[in-house]
Amino acid sequence: MKHQRRDNEAVPTVEELRGMVTHTREELGRTVDAPAAKAAVKAQAIEKAADLKEQAVAKAAVVTDQLRESAVHAARLAKDKIPDPAVDKAARAAAQLQATAARAGRLAAERTPDPVAEKAGQWAGAARAHRMPLVVAAGALGVLLLVLRGRRHR
């Protein structure tokens, strides 16, 4: 039952006040839960990204193992098809080539004047520092030479 105030406004009953309090509490709860729900979505996204990363790492490991096994298998097949004398001869030739190259390097180092060796060292350091532009330039030069050679043979 509503009571009348002096200024003719209805005064809510106890039940109406309780209903208003309950409604206000529910709205407040939804308001407080909204930022928590957004944070939960962000946490879920981070967790999902971590799971995907783990799956990718695992898949990469599996693919790497498969490639390694394929390479080992291919090497075995190649070794089986190449006769042993040819393999031995190739190994001896490689060792001889390596020894000859080392001997030539030592001779060149011994007979090169110091200023020339110093300048060559500077050029080698610059080449190591700028490896990619040199590779691109060498590739462009190779393509240019092939184009010129192709035009000459027409």
Side-chain angles (χ1 to χ4, degrees), residues 1-85:
M1 173 177 165
K2 294 187 178 185
H3 299 287
Q4 294 288 331
R5 287 192 196 167
R6 287 185 208 161
D7 54 356
N8 291 333
E9 283 187 25
V11 176
T13 64
V14 173
E15 291 303 317
E16 289 174 332
L17 286 173
R18 284 188 181 141
M20 288 170 40
V21 167
T22 302
H23 177 70
T24 303
R25 282 183 182 158
E26 289 172 359
E27 282 184 16
L28 182 61
R30 284 191 297 269
T31 303
V32 170
D33 287 343
K38 285 182 182 177
V41 169
K42 185 176 180 181
Q44 289 172 356
I46 290 171
E47 186 177 326
K48 181 73 173 177
D51 289 344
L52 289 174
K53 181 180 177 184
E54 286 178 21
Q55 290 174 2
V57 168
K59 183 79 170 180
V62 168
V63 170
T64 301
D65 289 343
Q66 289 173 345
L67 287 173
R68 188 174 292 124
E69 289 174 11
S70 296
V72 167
H73 181 68
R76 279 192 207 123
L77 287 176
K79 185 179 179 187
D80 291 345
K81 289 187 177 188
I82 298 173
D84 288 338

Side-chain angles (χ1 to χ4, degrees), residues 91-107:
R92 282 193 308 272
Q96 185 179 8
L97 181 63
Q98 187 176 15
T100 304
R103 190 171 35 252
R106 283 192 306 274
L107 284 173

